[in-house]
Amino acid sequence: MSTIRLKGGRVYDPANGVDGDVRDIGMRDGRIVALHPQEEVDHEYDVSGCVVMAGGIDLHTHIGGGKVNLARMMLPEDHRANRQRDPLLELASNGCCTPGTLETGYRYAQMGYTAAFEPAMLAANARHAHMEMGDTPILDHGAYVMLGNEELFLEMLARGEDFERIRDYVGWSIDASKAMGVKVVNPGGISAFKFNQRKLDVDENHVHWQVTPRDVVHTLARALTELGVPHPLHIHASNLGVAGNIESTLATIDALDGLPGHLTHIQFHSYGKEGPKKFSSATRQLIEKVKAAPNVSIDVGQIIFGQTVTASGDTMRQFANADLGSPRKYVGGDIECDAGCGVVPFRYREQSYVNALQWAIGLEIFLLMDDPWRVVLTTDHPNGGPFTSYPHLIRLLMDKSFRDEQLARLHPDVAASVDLREIGRELSLYDIAIMTRAAPARLLGLADRGQLGVGAAADIAVYREDADRQAMFATPEYVFKDGRLVARQGRLEAVPVGGTHFLETEFDPGIEKTIEKYAQRHLSVSYRNAKIGKDELCSCANGGALLACKVHGRRGGK
Amino acid sequence: MNASTQACDPDGHVDVTPNWTCPFCSLLCDGFRVETEQSGLRLVGSDCSKAVQGLADFGPATASAMPSVDGRPVTADMALDAAVGRLAACRMPLFGGLATDVAGMRQLYRLANATGAILDHARGDALMHALRALQDRGQVFSTLAEIRNRADLVVCIGTDAVGNFPEFFRRCAPVDDAGFARRTVFVGVDAPAGLAGEVAQIAPEGDLFDAVAMLAALVDGRRVPGADTALADLAQALRAARYCVVVWEPGRLPAQGALIAEALLRIVMSLNRSTRAGAFILGGADGLQTANAVTTWLSGLPLRTRVGPLGLDHDPLQYATARLLAGNDVDLLLWVASFGTKLPPPSTALPRIVLGHPRLASACAGEGTVFFPVATPGINSAGHLFRADGVVTLPLRILRDDGLPTVADIAKALEARLALRRLATEGQP
């Protein structure tokens, strides 16, 4: 492969402490290399006047799997508009809220993103998720397997199974589904809904298994710590969207008991019940708690006004919100004693008191949190809004006057009262580079991504300086994936197949006997078919690179 | 060849593939075995009529199957050239049948992009009953393991289930000491013999449209003057059940079946306000679920979509195979039927390219047809298929290697040759 030099760009590489220094970046064989200034290269790009960052990494975006595909099927209206495409490089693919996988890959790459992680892969649907991700071009990808609502796990917890066995089961599940981490969604609540329970607080018992979300969260977080899984337990906490749910969120952080945990789309979990509408911002309580809990990281799940669709494993909460659907449609499913799925189209409106407050809460969280390494920029695509709104979100965070203009359009009671009015902070390019590259890479344990040090993968986005940060981040000058130019000024240049990140865990294979016995008695698929082998992963993921990460457990230690 | 598979030796000795996934209906049973004998393939562990019939399409090895053009056997090269000539000349092709696996659909989508094709499945009419209801109102579903562990009431609407899905009740039967009793009610059809648990059947007056509309009203608790008492009792039972599952089969519904699907959704949504309920759609066979899933994730739109030069266009009515052929709205038919002999290409005066089971050769021997014998996923090639519920995807394993190309192989070769031909004639692919 050829040698490339990016000359004279302002480099933002927080993983290596580089904050806007003007320097050259060299690439060879898909990696970043140190080049002597006089060294001949095959291609030299003059990037003076440009900002250079590692390729963006989205650690929470619903890009592949059953519920996303159901959302596509149910919303043909979201996929009717055709845009001009490059007939040599692009295949037809449409959609805004839930684009086809091809369009998803094209659009992310055109924005300077080079990796995206599906946060809610059901074990029962894992092959499908890997297939969709494999058909999402250019981006590397991976997924977190959803645990904590499978009847086997709950049964083991309920009967007081030895922790080591549960840990082995978690290790096996990651290996079998070829996951990059573990997510828990409404801990125990998806299962509880199957038993017709409509609410489950952190210290409330599951009506059938008599275990609490606190038990579920703690057990999973401990298992991941002992297995040595880099990404902290990815937690979609209890009571999503419910007024007053800050209590559950704080209790969930307590349930971690100091163990690593990543609370996802935290905006949807930061509500008080003060004020005339009994719905208020609990940002300050949240931030105070997170600041004091260094074991906790978050992503925001910012809402963006306009049409979108919410797709979640949290059937309990999705069904409760089914009547709010716009357009009024609902998809819900109970799945394989494993988990569930609920899809509700939704339109966030500036003149809705609740939506306006949600918008403000999300921005407040970004701006009040003091440690950008523990805050990741997400809209929980598509639940808060499509990923294509990231440049708009970045401008909101970097530009106080733009933010104030938007604030003025909101429901008057919100515009007149929220804390956001008083927050003058504007995030820097360095902050943005942390929240969109360096922090997600670190939280996922991707040592050679999200940074521009020598030896790192040459995933690079080059943005032309523009005071309008939305325009700047929407259309990078150049995007490189593994050292190959994939986009230039919003046009695709190459469409490689992305790789799959997954973990190889250590566990006692004796656990397979328990799983086999359970599958025979309760499930509908042979236990042997519950496992995805590496060759099979390769064919599911469309022949992309297998980016395995071996992890070594720290058994016995907490 | 897969590690779990062994061919039979020259003496015709029997070998058994223990880890087989059956591709012959969308339940994708993976608990049975197949004996590979020299004379053919034999199912072990089940008497499923679908599997037995499916396997019967595979006698002795079919290694001699050859492509043909206008009925004359030709080399693969010649057949590819003939097919590419037709594809290059057509303006509005229809890719129909689409009975293939994930890999086949992935490549067919690329080929559709290169040719501006419309995509529809042989069972497209059935799919549209479910899909149009999904697009208008939504869907609430349950899956086999959920039914097995939870459903104390199963209501089959207009289907006995076992006719087309013989293993259905066995696949979702509760275990002996499940802690609940299963009641199964059949509406508008006779109950099949030999079902475990309490079984009932009711025959409401009127057609299925009337029956489900009345049942929906009764479940909603509305006063229905002159309501059928059996339906009233059923509505009562639905409300009292702990977890009920409504089973229906799109392939058995008449025209405008989406209205029935919508009424069933209304019933299930209404029940879920106080108890728990789901639906199970018995459909998606012959790779329908797979073709629709793959098309949707790649393009953003489900089947009955045209991948035209100006972009995508989806129309559940306009892009129906029968309508397109009858109206001469397309100028070429590419037909894919890799699972057996049950889906021969529709007869038409249009040029046809058929990727089919080797035994479809005689149905594809007419003038104007290019025929490629292809492997069947789960028999003589590996692959992946989606189950009826649309959630579970299972690997299909090769039982024996007949040296046949897969649908993906042919589609990929066609795409590559078409690009070369255009490069040569038009200066661009």
Side-chain angles (χ1 to χ4, degrees):
Chain A
M1 193 178 275
S2 57
T3 307
I4 298 169
R5 179 185 288 119
L6 303 179
K7 194 168 173 56
R10 274 209 297 136
V11 176
Y12 290 86
D13 181 18
N16 295 299
V18 181
D19 184 7
D21 303 359
V22 173
R23 56 171 71 176
D24 298 349
I25 300 277
M27 295 175 245
R28 182 184 292 131
D29 296 337
R31 294 273 149 182
I32 292 176
V33 291
L35 294 177
H36 188 277
Q38 259 68 56
E39 191 169 337
E40 290 264 325
V41 293
D42 300 296
H43 299 282
E44 182 166 289
Y45 296 87
D46 177 3
V47 295
S48 51
C50 293
V51 163
V52 181
M53 294 183 183
I57 297 173
D58 196 340
L59 67 46
H60 188 108
T61 172
H62 297 277
I63 54 169
K67 63 185 172 302
V68 184
N69 222 25
L70 280 163
R72 294 185 189 108
M73 286 177 204
M74 93 191 286
L75 292 169
E77 56 269 43
D78 182 52
H79 302 87
R80 290 227 162 90
N82 285 294
R83 67 176 176 87
Q84 274 225 309
R85 63 194 165 96
D86 181 334
L88 294 183
L89 285 174
E90 295 180 51
L91 299 173
S93 188
N94 290 2
C96 179
C97 312
T98 48
T101 55
L102 299 164
E103 176 76 347
T104 300
Y106 303 152
R107 281 295 172 101
Y108 260 118
Q110 285 166 337
M111 272 187 352
Y113 273 71
T114 51
F117 291 81
E118 162 60 51
M121 175 173 74
L122 274 65
N125 187 239
R127 285 185 181 84
H128 177 186
H130 284 298
M131 287 169 183
E132 288 205 19
M133 290 189 288
D135 282 334
T136 304
I138 307 171
L139 303 180
D140 290 334
H141 42 80
Y144 321 136
V145 61
M146 271 169 64
L147 299 180
N149 279 291
E150 334 83 275
E151 307 296 328
L152 172 57
F153 173 85
L154 294 170
E155 186 187 308
M156 284 164 87
L157 205 57
R159 69 169 179 250
E161 181 70 80
D162 285 347
F163 169 74
E164 288 70 23
R165 306 293 292 157
I166 296 181
R167 183 192 61 205
D168 287 333
Y169 163 75
V170 172
W172 179 88
S173 298
I174 293 170
D175 182 65
S177 62
K178 295 291 176 277
M180 189 58 189
V182 171
K183 184 191 191 193
V184 60
V185 174
N186 185 352
I190 302 172
S191 164
F193 182 58
K194 295 173 183 175
F195 293 89
N196 205 20
Q197 195 167 1
R198 303 295 168 133
K199 183 177 80 58
L200 188 59
D201 287 327
V202 177
D203 287 305
E204 192 174 354
N205 269 336
H206 180 298
V207 65
H208 179 76
W209 294 113
Q210 301 294 310
V211 297
T212 64
R214 184 182 294 273
D215 300 333
V216 172
V217 166
H218 186 83
T219 305
L220 286 173
R222 186 177 161 206
L224 295 189
T225 303
E226 294 196 11
L227 289 164
V229 170
H231 186 47
L233 177 63
H234 202 91
I235 306 167
H236 159 144
S238 312
N239 291 315
L240 179 140
V242 177
N245 65 10
I246 186 66
E247 299 303 329
S248 307
T249 307
L250 301 183
T252 302
I253 292 174
D254 287 338
L256 287 167
D257 201 12
L259 293 165
H262 178 90
L263 277 82
T264 190
H265 41 68
I266 193 82
Q267 176 277 129
F268 288 109
H269 304 270
S270 303
Y271 307 144
K273 46 183 175 188
E274 314 299 319
K277 312 258 187 201
K278 307 285 179 219
F279 184 81
S280 56
S281 166
T283 308
R284 290 197 182 271
Q285 280 167 277
L286 174 84
I287 294 297
E288 192 184 328
K289 185 79 172 181
V290 175
K291 278 183 179 172
N295 57 311
V296 169
S297 55
I298 58 177
D299 68 79
V300 172
Q302 176 66 35
I303 72 150
I304 301 292
F305 297 112
Q307 180 69 52
T308 193
V309 55
T310 67
S312 169
D314 192 345
T315 40
M316 180 187 271
R317 295 302 317 145
Q318 289 293 81
F319 183 78
N321 289 328
D323 291 342
L324 302 176
S326 173
R328 181 79 175 270
K329 312 182 194 186
Y330 175 75
V331 169
D334 298 320
I335 297 172
E336 291 297 275
C337 298
D338 179 4
C341 103
V343 187
V344 184
F346 201 82
R347 176 177 284 276
Y348 292 104
R349 294 179 300 115
E350 288 161 334
Q351 288 305 309
S352 148
Y353 180 89
V354 169
N355 298 163
L357 199 57
Q358 290 178 305
W359 180 87
I361 290 169
L363 295 178
E364 286 171 11
I365 293 169
F366 277 114
L367 296 167
L368 292 176
M369 186 59 195
D370 58 351
D371 179 4
W373 288 94
R374 293 196 282 135
V375 188
V376 176
L377 186 142
T378 66
T379 57
D380 185 17
H381 165 81
N383 297 333
F387 68 82
T388 43
S389 48
Y390 286 176
H392 172 78
L393 174 55
I394 289 171
R395 185 170 182 200
L396 287 171
L397 296 171
M398 294 188 75
D399 185 340
K400 163 78 171 154
S401 61
F402 181 65
R403 197 157 70 220
D404 286 343
E405 276 172 38
Q406 305 298 310
L407 190 57
R409 292 191 198 154
L410 302 193
H411 188 286
D413 293 353
V414 174
S417 65
V418 283
D419 285 354
L420 185 63
R421 290 176 309 154
E422 314 301 331
I423 302 174
R425 187 176 174 205
E426 294 180 331
L427 297 188
S428 65
L429 286 169
Y430 194 73
D431 292 328
I432 295 296
I434 295 172
M435 290 175 170
T436 57
R437 292 71 182 146
R442 184 179 287 182
L443 288 167
L444 287 162
L446 303 173
D448 65 348
R449 310 269 161 175
Q451 56 128 329
L452 298 172
V454 168
D459 295 350
I460 302 177
V462 179
Y463 302 96
R464 186 155 297 282
E465 267 285 11
D466 189 335
D468 176 348
R469 299 307 193 187
Q470 182 169 340
M472 172 174 162
F473 280 96
T475 314
E477 194 74 10
Y478 303 108
V479 183
F480 296 88
K481 176 77 186 63
D482 293 312
R484 184 171 179 190
L485 183 66
V486 291
R488 182 201 302 254
Q489 293 177 337
R491 291 178 57 107
L492 293 177
E493 294 282 331
V495 186
V497 178
T500 305
H501 290 286
F502 63 100
L503 300 179
E504 293 184 330
T505 47
E506 290 176 339
F507 55 90
D508 178 351
I511 192 64
E512 298 195 353
K513 285 207 166 51
T514 305
I515 297 163
E516 181 173 9
K517 210 168 120 191
Y518 179 82
Q520 271 173 3
R521 188 174 154 74
H522 292 282
L523 301 185
S524 67
V525 171
S526 156
Y527 144 81
R528 286 184 297 268
N529 281 332
K531 287 193 287 191
I532 304 174
K534 270 205 207 177
D535 287 348
E536 197 191 350
L537 176 65
C538 189
S539 83
C540 287
N542 208 10
L546 299 186
L547 306 168
C549 171
K550 253 191 201 337
V551 295
H552 302 288
R554 285 170 280 149
R555 292 184 189 173
K558 184 174 174 181
Chain B
M1 187 169 285
N2 193 290
S4 67
T5 309
Q6 296 162 340
C8 57
D9 64 25
D11 303 329
H13 180 74
V14 171
D15 268 312
V16 177
T17 300
N19 203 12
W20 183 61
T21 306
C22 176
F24 297 117
C25 89
S26 52
L27 296 180
L28 303 182
C29 296
D30 63 348
F32 309 133
R33 292 170 295 131
V34 170
E35 287 182 355
T36 312
E37 301 163 356
Q38 219 162 36
S39 59
L41 304 168
R42 197 172 72 81
L43 183 67
V44 182
S46 166
D47 59 357
C48 172
S49 56
K50 284 276 162 187
V52 168
Q53 287 164 23
L55 290 170
D57 275 338
F58 301 85
T62 41
S64 59
M66 281 186 76
S68 64
V69 176
D70 301 333
R72 289 186 302 279
V74 294
T75 63
D77 245 4
M78 292 160 73
L80 286 169
D81 281 342
V84 164
R86 281 153 219 228
L87 282 170
C90 72
R91 296 274 167 200
M92 180 77 111
L94 165 64
F95 289 8
L98 302 187
T100 182
D101 61 353
V102 171
M105 261 331 282
R106 277 173 160 170
Q107 288 299 335
L108 286 168
Y109 188 70
R110 300 189 67 90
L111 188 62
N113 269 265
T115 53
I118 297 167
L119 298 165
D120 185 26
H121 190 277
R123 298 185 181 277
D125 288 344
L127 174 69
M128 291 307 133
H129 294 322
L131 186 71
R132 293 184 73 200
L134 172 64
Q135 292 176 337
D136 285 347
R137 292 279 182 269
Q139 190 181 91
V140 174
F141 65 92
S142 191
T143 66
L144 289 176
E146 294 291 346
I147 303 174
R148 187 175 177 198
N149 285 272
R150 257 175 259 290
D152 50 349
L153 178 60
V154 172
V155 180
C156 297
I157 308 275
T159 174
D160 67 353
V162 296
N164 290 322
F165 301 87
E167 288 289 332
F168 175 69
F169 290 111
R170 277 176 286 203
R171 292 292 302 281
C172 61
V175 291
D176 291 342
D177 53 348
F180 65 91
R182 164 81 52 86
R183 182 163 179 255
T184 310
V185 180
F186 294 83
V187 178
V189 286
D190 292 340
L195 272 194
E198 187 189 339
V199 178
Q201 66 188 55
I202 59 178
E205 281 184 35
D207 58 21
L208 216 45
F209 294 93
D210 298 333
V212 294
M214 185 176 287
L215 188 61
L218 290 164
V219 166
D220 276 342
R222 279 188 255 157
R223 284 170 45 84
V224 183
D228 184 302
T229 52
L231 281 180
D233 290 347
L234 178 59
Q236 185 57 38
L238 285 164
R239 284 202 299 255
R242 192 181 64 166
Y243 191 101
C244 102
V245 175
V246 174
V247 178
W248 61 285
E249 189 176 339
R252 290 188 188 265
L253 297 188
Q256 308 305 331
L259 296 173
I260 291 172
E262 279 195 24
L264 296 176
L265 176 68
R266 219 172 88 208
I267 291 169
V268 172
M269 283 300 278
S270 174
L271 289 169
N272 274 316
R273 293 186 194 282
S274 54
T275 177
R276 287 309 325 278
F280 191 88
I281 302 178
L282 280 167
D286 293 310
L288 171 61
Q289 195 72 272
T290 304
N292 192 47
V294 177
T295 303
T296 304
W297 83 55
L298 289 171
S299 74
L301 285 161
L303 288 177
R304 295 202 171 164
T305 285
R306 180 175 184 223
V307 195
L310 297 176
L312 298 165
D313 180 32
H314 168 65
D315 193 321
L317 299 176
Q318 187 72 29
Y319 293 147
T321 296
R323 185 186 173 122
L324 291 170
L325 293 179
N328 280 320
D329 295 331
V330 289
D331 57 1
L332 179 141
L333 174 66
L334 184 146
W335 185 259
V336 181
S338 67
F339 292 108
T341 56
K342 310 283 188 300
L343 296 175
S347 58
T348 167
L350 298 176
R352 297 187 304 184
I353 299 167
V354 180
L355 283 56
H357 186 283
R359 291 191 182 176
L360 286 175
S362 58
C364 303
E367 196 69 24
T369 302
V370 181
F371 175 68
F372 295 93
V374 292
T376 300
I379 302 295
N380 35 32
S381 78
H384 284 99
L385 279 178
F386 277 70
R387 209 168 68 177
D389 49 51
V391 173
V392 176
T393 312
L394 283 171
L396 304 173
R397 292 175 179 81
I398 183 169
L399 286 177
R400 69 176 196 206
D401 188 352
D402 292 338
L404 289 165
T406 61
V407 169
D409 292 334
I410 300 292
K412 194 173 182 174
L414 289 172
E415 190 206 353
R417 280 184 194 227
L418 190 60
L420 280 176
R421 185 188 163 103
R422 286 183 177 159
L423 202 58
T425 57
E426 297 162 32
Q428 57 180 14

